[in-house]
Amino acid sequence: MGKTRARPQLSNNNYSITKKMYKQTDGSVHRSGDRTSPISVILVSSGSRGNKLLFRYPFQRVPEGASSLATKQRSPYALNPTGDVLEDQDGDSRFSDIILATILATKSDMCGKKFELKIDNIRFVGHPTLLQTPHTIQVSKTDPSPKREMPTMILFSVVFALRANADPSVIGCMHNLSRRIAIALQHEERRCQYLTREAKLMLAVQDEVTAMTENENSPQSPFRQILPKCKLAWDLKEAYDSLCTTGIVRLHINNWLEVSFCLPHKIHHVGGNHIAPEALERCLKAIRPYHALLLLENEKAVLGQMPLDCSPALVRLIKTCSAVKNLQQLAQDADLALLQVFQISAHLVYWGKAIIIYPLCENNVYMLSPHASICLYSSLAEQFSQQFPGNDLPSMLAKFSLPISLSEFRNPLDAPVQEVQLIQMVVWLLQRRLLIQLHTYVCLLVPPGQDEPGPWDEEPPLVACVGGRSLSTPSALSFGSPTSSDDMTLTSPSMDNSSAELLPGTDSPLNRRMTETLLASLTEHERQAILSVPAAQNPEDLRMFARLLHYFRGHHHLEEIMYNENMRRSQLKMLFDKFRSVLVITNHEDPVISIFQSPLE
Amino acid sequence: MGSNCRIECIFFSEFHPTLGPKITFQVPEEYISRELFDTVQVYIITKPELQNKLITVTTMDKKLIGCPVCIEHKKYSRNALLFNLGFVCDAQAKTCALEPIVKKLSGYLTTLELETGFISNEESKQKLVPIMSTLLEDLNAKGACTLPIDESNTIHLKLIEQRKDPQIVQEYDVPVFTESKDHFIKSQWDLTTQQIFPYIDGFRHIQKISAEADVELNLVRIAVQNLLYYGVVTLVSIFQYSNVYCTTPKIQNLIDDKPIQEQCLAYVTKPGQKRASLRDVFQLYCGLSPGTTVRDLCSRYAQQLQRVDERKLVQFGLMKGLIRRLQKYPVKVVRDERSRPPRLYTGCHSYDEICCKTGILH
């Protein structure tokens, strides 16, 4: 065993900085992975036999007896080498079974609520559940029948031990899982006393092993013996292992009730950072009918992971979805309501089976994601060469160094087979979160007047009420017909749009009044600037500009305007060009959808 | 001072030889109800295994933080004195900053008891109440508390804000002050930081600072990492006219957020010139796109750049995350049997890094 020189402990900050100086950035992936993994899972109960620790996983490490004797013989001046390890202070093993039973099996008035206890750098979270109400026990106490002798369980709790610096959202998720397991166990207990039976088994094995240990003086973990005999113990071990690896837990309590759970922090993991659940929620709320659902694995694989009794709508959706079809079309093809499609898509995204993209079409512009791993030796590079022999990932990614549209990317002189393969490669890259899509955003910014002193005169126009269109998801059904490719035909204008009253072609007083109303929300200076643009002399163009005014705040991209207003890309581009002296165009990724590729810090 | 760790109550609990665990004092009075204490008493006056550990329990919308102490001695009835001085906060509050204070207080009280019998003596125990009131007021108001216990002892406590760990600083990173350099009081910092301070101008990278200030490279990295931790500097990338940048979605903040707008226009305007217009600045930022170098931007937007300093423009954009730098990563793809596997051309090291490390020109 090598000698390690103990480094003197400076104040916490300096020590951690020095240590991190020489650590590779990859180390941070493991650290953040640890923060989202539980340290252990513990099952405790409280009943007529007192507080008991029924099961605990992982088992305690090497028995303390032998090593503690050795340390006592060392010189009192020797520094403790184990104190040097700052990282994996798995303090869970410092707690004996008895003390855990005392602190985790709470009083009955803490039941039915979140239980959170932090001791030094371990945080315990659980959901203590009452099995019987206290007064029934009192009744049985006065009952003189011999049945009273049977030990009864009053409450139990499935507790997860986490690192103290775990994210609050992780703590919330673990509590959720604890509660779900508790509900299932409570149900099974009421139905067939499942928990009592398992508990009896666990305690019997524990007593057996304790007796054996006293005789033979070779300490063993009783929990190791429980594992093969007890289904519940096995389930808890499964849950723990899944939480530490994939983040997807699927248990069958008593082979009957299913408990399923996923930890978003493990599933949605990009470049060393996890995507915050709040960002995920925001993204799910922002799904629009013109978005598409992209499965992260092939259809068969995803279907294979669905439980046997999943809804047929889900199966139909998975079978019909594709990278080129938007959700509205998907709803029509799968014969489902749009709202249902949104819900199922959100569900698939949450469970990490799919992501939201803008449907593939020629005019899409893609670029390398800032978090893409371009290392020559990454596992992705290997997978790519296996999937597409003869091509290597870095060369492919180099093509996307600068933004490139799909039409530029394809070579029309290539054989159609090669073209198909190119599209497949792009889909592969999207699935592995290597590409982001850039959209065009427009902002109204008029040049300042000569005599006006400063920026405070350029108040952002109040466009809250113009158009009155709410772009939230459930009302998506009222929008005009969508398009996935750029092939648009002008259909009748959508409802609740102020432009519906603008009759095309004529310069009626009605139209002029509408245009004036729309422009009235701007400051005088802005209105003047707009009207002084040569194109404003054309009433059609001015009307179109006024109608689209509320999109020019930089929050809506070109494709969204196209979808909402039923317009062609060429029409919009021409309009932007005509009014370029008062507009500024910028290109960047959609902040809501791009969280899958580049979570904003 | 952290506004979300307001202390609602400070309590002193001990194990009475006849009555058992009870709350002896609490400030303000009657804050902790009987039921609350009954529920959590097992975590306040604990078994021996949990003593001297920082315990935080959350229940009934309240969070209790305490550190149970046990002093064993024959002079006490039951041969041991068990007590716990703790704080009560709202269940949603973030209390990490309070933990070191609770620990420190338990240490102070232990020492006082061992030296002068402060707690076991009924008279001196009464002094705890004014101490606890002062603590409560000062910590909530100022985040710090200094109070004398008796003629010779004073307690010093301070709430330290918990910050995120800083990233590793590389030799090709450029530190830039987040606030004006004049706010920086040199004498409060260590010697290394004082020595490199004049060389941090937002354009020199770490390697250059190390060379010019004559300080070893790793020391400069640690010093700058320390400054990064306290939010005094942020890191941007080296500025060159051949650099390529592109906008991020955060560019919207320049339109939506008035304070950032003001800050930006003040920062990027050339000194002595009239304030640049928002439209010009925004156009310049939007002109930064992949495929356009800064040099190209300067020639294309010469008119807008009359009043704007392009170096400061880029600097501000990077500091606030409005733009990001596109780094080039060389990857050696074709390999024959005889050549060694690439060390630097693996796609993990950018041009900046390779140039810094090997001294090759860009």
Side-chain angles (χ1 to χ4, degrees):
Chain A
M1 213 159 57
K3 286 213 176 88
T4 52
R5 241 186 327 167
R7 254 178 262 151
Q9 286 270 32
L10 306 175
S11 78
N12 228 11
N13 280 346
N14 287 343
Y15 186 85
S16 57
I17 285 174
T18 325
K19 206 159 155 66
K20 281 172 185 92
M21 274 286 304
Y22 304 97
K23 228 205 263 258
Q24 296 303 313
T25 37
D26 285 343
S28 63
V29 175
H30 298 297
R31 271 190 291 130
S32 70
D34 278 343
R35 273 215 303 271
T36 55
S37 297
I39 298 177
S40 67
V41 60
I42 303 162
L43 177 66
V44 295
S45 75
S46 168
S48 53
R49 276 177 73 178
N51 295 343
K52 295 275 179 211
L53 180 90
L54 294 174
F55 184 68
R56 179 182 187 177
Y57 184 80
F59 315 124
Q60 299 244 16
R61 278 190 287 245
V62 180
E64 264 108 84
S67 57
S68 60
L69 277 174
T71 48
K72 283 193 178 75
Q73 286 158 4
R74 291 173 56 197
S75 153
Y77 299 106
L79 286 166
N80 186 2
T82 54
D84 201 22
V85 179
L86 197 59
E87 274 213 282
D88 224 30
Q89 277 185 343
D90 199 331
D92 182 45
S93 51
R94 288 190 270 137
F95 297 114
S96 71
D97 299 348
I98 306 175
I99 195 72
L100 277 181
T102 320
I103 56 177
L104 297 179
T106 62
K107 295 213 162 53
S108 45
D109 47 359
M110 276 176 104
C111 286
K113 286 178 279 204
K114 179 171 169 188
F115 169 74
E116 201 179 322
L117 177 71
K118 181 168 155 186
I119 301 185
D120 275 351
N121 47 6
I122 309 281
R123 198 186 286 268
F124 297 99
V125 63
H127 192 87
T129 311
L130 213 52
L131 278 179
Q132 304 165 20
T133 48
H135 68 257
T136 45
I137 300 169
Q138 281 173 15
V139 166
S140 64
K141 273 196 179 137
T142 55
D143 181 355
S145 68
K147 273 204 209 135
R148 191 163 57 92
E149 297 307 318
M150 208 155 59
T152 47
M153 194 187 296
I154 302 174
L155 62 85
F156 71 95
S157 181
V158 177
V159 177
F160 288 100
L162 307 168
R163 283 173 214 280
N165 57 0
D167 215 51
S169 50
V170 175
I171 302 172
C173 287
M174 293 297 186
H175 167 243
N176 197 354
L177 177 57
S178 169
R179 196 169 61 92
R180 289 185 193 202
I181 299 179
I183 292 174
L185 284 174
Q186 193 184 37
H187 183 272
E188 283 302 288
E189 172 67 15
R190 290 210 180 114
R191 188 174 72 92
C192 57
Q193 288 83 47
Y194 174 65
L195 189 57
T196 317
R197 274 186 284 133
E198 296 286 292
K200 231 163 71 168
L201 206 61
M202 289 176 180
L203 290 172
V205 175
Q206 282 187 31
D207 291 337
E208 226 179 271
V209 173
T210 325
M212 252 174 33
T213 316
E214 279 165 10
N215 296 339
E216 295 170 24
N217 209 19
S218 63
Q220 276 186 49
S221 168
F223 308 117
R224 204 182 291 274
Q225 308 297 323
I226 292 179
L227 206 52
K229 297 188 186 155
C230 194
K231 174 75 177 28
L232 182 57
W234 190 260
D235 284 336
L236 291 175
K237 171 183 177 307
E238 280 287 303
Y240 174 82
D241 287 337
S242 317
L243 282 171
C244 291
T245 48
T246 58
I248 299 186
V249 176
R250 242 194 215 118
L251 305 173
H252 288 91
I253 302 287
N254 199 13
N255 285 323
W256 181 242
L257 281 183
E258 185 179 341
V259 175
S260 58
F261 171 82
C262 85
L263 190 61
H265 306 81
K266 276 262 152 65
I267 298 178
H268 303 281
H269 197 80
V270 179
N273 301 315
H274 65 253
I275 302 176
E278 304 84 46
L280 204 57
E281 303 274 314
R282 257 180 284 141
C283 170
L284 295 178
K285 287 201 183 105
I287 302 182
R288 300 265 189 275
Y290 58 75
H291 283 138
L293 191 70
L294 177 67
L295 293 177
L296 288 179
E297 294 161 40
N298 66 39
E299 184 189 296
K300 261 207 207 95
V302 175
L303 280 175
Q305 289 165 12
M306 296 291 132
L308 288 170
D309 59 349
C310 70
S311 88
L314 181 62
V315 175
R316 258 207 324 268
L317 190 96
I318 294 177
K319 287 197 169 142
T320 3
C321 80
S322 119
V324 299
K325 230 184 268 187
N326 69 17
L327 292 178
Q328 184 131 9
Q329 265 185 338
L330 185 60
Q332 286 167 4
D333 291 350
D335 198 23
L336 297 166
L338 188 59
L339 195 57
Q340 207 181 3
V341 168
F342 280 142
Q343 285 169 346
I344 301 180
S345 309
H347 186 75
L348 286 171
V349 169
Y350 183 80
W351 279 77
K353 306 289 177 221
I355 55 173
I356 301 291
I357 58 168
Y358 188 81
L360 250 55
C361 75
E362 275 193 0
N363 286 295
N364 283 359
V365 175
Y366 293 104
M367 193 168 87
L368 266 189
S369 155
H371 290 273
S373 153
I374 44 177
C375 189
L376 193 56
Y377 303 119
S378 67
S379 59
L380 283 177
E382 251 185 70
Q383 284 172 27
F384 188 82
S385 329
Q386 278 173 2
Q387 183 93 2
F388 305 103
N391 295 298
D392 67 296
L393 188 58
S395 314
M396 178 53 103
L397 291 179
K399 295 191 183 147
F400 286 101
S401 293
L402 296 179
I404 184 169
S405 71
L406 273 189
S407 56
E408 286 167 26
F409 186 64
R410 287 171 9 191
N411 184 352
L413 297 174
D414 271 342
V417 166
Q418 275 180 316
E419 224 178 83
V420 167
Q421 202 193 38
L422 273 176
I423 299 298
Q424 282 176 344
M425 285 202 262
V426 171
V427 171
W428 192 95
L429 293 175
L430 281 172
Q431 283 173 330
R432 272 131 197 101
R433 310 174 197 260
L434 295 170
L435 295 180
I436 51 173
Q437 184 175 356
L438 299 184
H439 294 276
T440 309
Y441 291 80
V442 179
C443 202
L444 177 73
L445 268 182
V446 301
Q450 296 309 318
D451 46 350
E452 272 146 56
W456 48 86
D457 275 71
E458 296 177 26
E459 287 291 329
L462 300 160
V463 286
C465 307
V466 177
R469 174 185 294 283
S470 114
L471 297 166
S472 62
T473 311
S475 58
L477 294 162
S478 64
F479 289 153
S481 66
T483 177
S484 61
S485 75
D486 261 28
D487 193 14
M488 293 238 47
T489 48
L490 286 168
T491 59
S492 57
S494 20
M495 305 170 231
D496 81 349
N497 181 357
S498 61
S499 60
E501 290 114 70
L502 291 175
L503 309 161
T506 57
D507 188 23
S508 68
L510 180 65
N511 285 344
R512 254 182 286 137
R513 242 212 319 277
M514 289 308 300
T515 315
E516 273 160 27
T517 325
L518 289 167
L519 291 179
S521 58
L522 305 172
T523 66
E524 179 58 36
H525 171 66
E526 284 168 335
R527 214 172 312 133
Q528 288 304 320
I530 293 172
L531 291 173
S532 62
V533 173
Q537 304 313 314
N538 178 349
E540 285 246 16
D541 286 339
L542 185 62
R543 208 181 310 128
M544 205 192 299
F545 186 88
R547 191 177 112 198
L548 300 177
L549 194 56
H550 61 289
Y551 292 112
F552 298 157
R553 296 290 300 125
H555 291 291
H556 306 280
H557 53 71
L558 193 67
E559 284 81 11
E560 185 163 353
I561 306 177
M562 276 167 55
Y563 178 80
N564 289 347
E565 301 292 325
N566 258 347
M567 292 176 71
R568 289 179 182 280
R569 186 181 292 263
S570 49
Q571 272 179 307
L572 279 173
K573 285 212 153 146
M574 239 171 22
L575 185 73
F576 296 157
D577 196 46
K578 286 181 184 161
F579 283 89
R580 67 177 172 284
S581 54
V582 296
L583 296 173
V584 181
I585 315 269
T586 176
N587 289 320
H588 55 77
E589 59 269 27
D590 183 345
V592 172
I593 304 300
S594 68
I595 58 160
F596 296 112
Q597 289 85 16
S598 53
L600 292 174
E601 296 295 318
Chain B
M1 123 107 186
S3 53
N4 48 9
C5 55
R6 203 197 129 70
I7 309 171
E8 305 287 337
C9 165
I10 301 186
F11 66 90
F12 179 79
S13 162
E14 56 180 347
F15 188 88
H16 193 271
T18 42
L19 298 169
K22 69 192 241 296
I23 297 187
T24 319
F25 305 122
Q26 47 174 317
V27 172
E29 296 273 315
E30 304 301 330
Y31 191 83
I32 302 178
S33 62
R34 260 242 80 89
E35 311 150 328
L36 180 59
F37 188 65
D38 279 339
T39 316
V40 299
Q41 73 180 48
V42 67
Y43 307 111
I44 308 276
I45 302 292
T46 63
K47 298 252 178 336
E49 215 177 318
L50 289 181
Q51 271 143 15
N52 274 320
K53 293 203 201 309
L54 204 63
I55 301 184
T56 309
V57 58
T58 312
T59 180
M60 292 194 196
D61 283 336
K62 301 219 196 317
K63 220 184 239 202
L64 288 93
I65 311 161
C67 183
V69 177
C70 171
I71 304 177
E72 292 182 8
H73 199 278
K74 280 200 267 290
K75 70 177 181 182
Y76 302 117
S77 48
R78 296 195 180 231
N79 294 330
L81 179 70
L82 294 138
F83 64 89
N84 190 340
L85 182 77
F87 294 172
V88 182
C89 302
D90 186 65
Q92 309 299 328
K94 290 200 204 332
T95 51
C96 298
L98 290 174
E99 290 171 6
I101 295 190
V102 173
K103 203 83 206 269
K104 208 168 175 187
L105 274 172
S106 79
Y108 276 134
L109 289 179
T110 315
T111 317
L112 280 172
E113 171 61 23
L114 289 171
E115 289 180 2
T116 62
F118 186 75
I119 297 177
S120 44
N121 180 343
E122 281 304 318
E123 274 176 40
S124 54
K125 195 156 76 166
Q126 301 299 326
K127 285 196 220 153
L128 269 178
V129 184
I131 291 175
M132 282 157 56
S133 319
T134 322
L135 268 177
L136 185 63
E137 271 173 47
D138 286 352
L139 284 176
N140 275 339
K142 296 181 286 186
C145 182
T146 303
L147 45 88
I149 307 283
D150 51 27
E151 299 86 42
S152 42
N153 294 314
T154 318
I155 293 183
H156 300 278
L157 295 166
K158 186 165 183 211
L159 273 170
I160 310 264
E161 196 186 308
Q162 299 272 324
R163 293 173 205 263
K164 265 191 349 183
D165 286 340
Q167 63 189 92
I168 300 179
V169 175
Q170 305 285 2
E171 48 254 313
Y172 46 87
D173 284 325
V174 175
V176 55
F177 281 105
T178 49
E179 291 177 14
S180 160
K181 225 172 172 179
D182 313 318
H183 291 168
F184 194 78
I185 305 172
K186 271 178 82 165
S187 52
Q188 283 182 351
W189 296 87
D190 57 278
L191 291 175
T192 313
T193 311
Q194 285 184 28
Q195 198 168 344
I196 62 173
F197 163 80
Y199 298 93
I200 301 180
D201 61 353
F203 297 111
R204 287 192 179 86
H205 57 286
I206 300 287
Q207 212 177 33
K208 198 166 182 185
I209 295 177
S210 156
E212 291 186 9
D214 197 20
V215 178
E216 204 255 321
L217 183 66
N218 285 323
L219 285 180
V220 178
R221 287 171 71 185
I222 299 178
V224 171
Q225 197 178 27
N226 196 31
L227 289 173
L228 197 60
Y229 179 81
Y230 288 105
V232 178
V233 301
T234 53
L235 296 179
V236 296
S237 66
I238 303 177
F239 180 83
Q240 289 170 288
Y241 280 95
S242 58
N243 281 356
V244 177
Y245 300 93
C246 72
T247 49
T248 66
K250 282 198 185 151
I251 191 76
Q252 263 312 108
N253 294 350
L254 199 55
I255 305 291
D256 299 334
D257 207 337
K258 258 302 188 208
I260 295 193
Q261 235 178 61
E262 296 290 320
Q263 222 185 347
C264 177
L265 295 174
Y267 196 85
V268 307
T269 312
K270 280 186 183 153
Q273 295 263 7
K274 203 174 97 161
R275 199 111 97 107
S277 77
L278 181 62
R279 180 183 159 85
D280 285 346
V281 170
F282 193 69
Q283 252 189 329
L284 283 168
Y285 275 126
C286 296
L288 283 171
S289 64
T292 311
T293 62
V294 181
R295 197 181 298 122
D296 294 339
L297 186 83
C298 293
S299 48
R300 245 178 253 170
Y301 291 92
Q303 193 252 330
Q304 282 86 345
L305 279 171
Q306 273 172 8
R307 290 186 270 166
V308 173
D309 178 351
E310 65 271 9
R311 293 172 88 196
K312 293 232 135 165
L313 181 81
V314 167
Q315 208 179 59
F316 188 86
L318 287 172
M319 274 164 61
K320 297 290 177 192
L322 307 176
I323 56 177
R324 63 181 170 94
R325 166 97 186 272
L326 286 184
Q327 298 270 12
K328 289 193 283 189
Y329 290 81
V331 184
K332 190 167 175 193
V333 177
V334 180
R335 274 195 298 144
D336 54 40
E337 297 302 312
R338 283 165 296 151
S339 67
R340 284 182 315 219
R343 188 176 66 90
L344 286 176
Y345 297 158
T346 57
C348 299
H349 308 276
S350 66
Y351 261 54
D352 278 3
E353 194 181 334
I354 297 177
C355 293
C356 268
K357 287 209 163 95
T358 58
I360 307 176
L361 292 175
H362 215 270

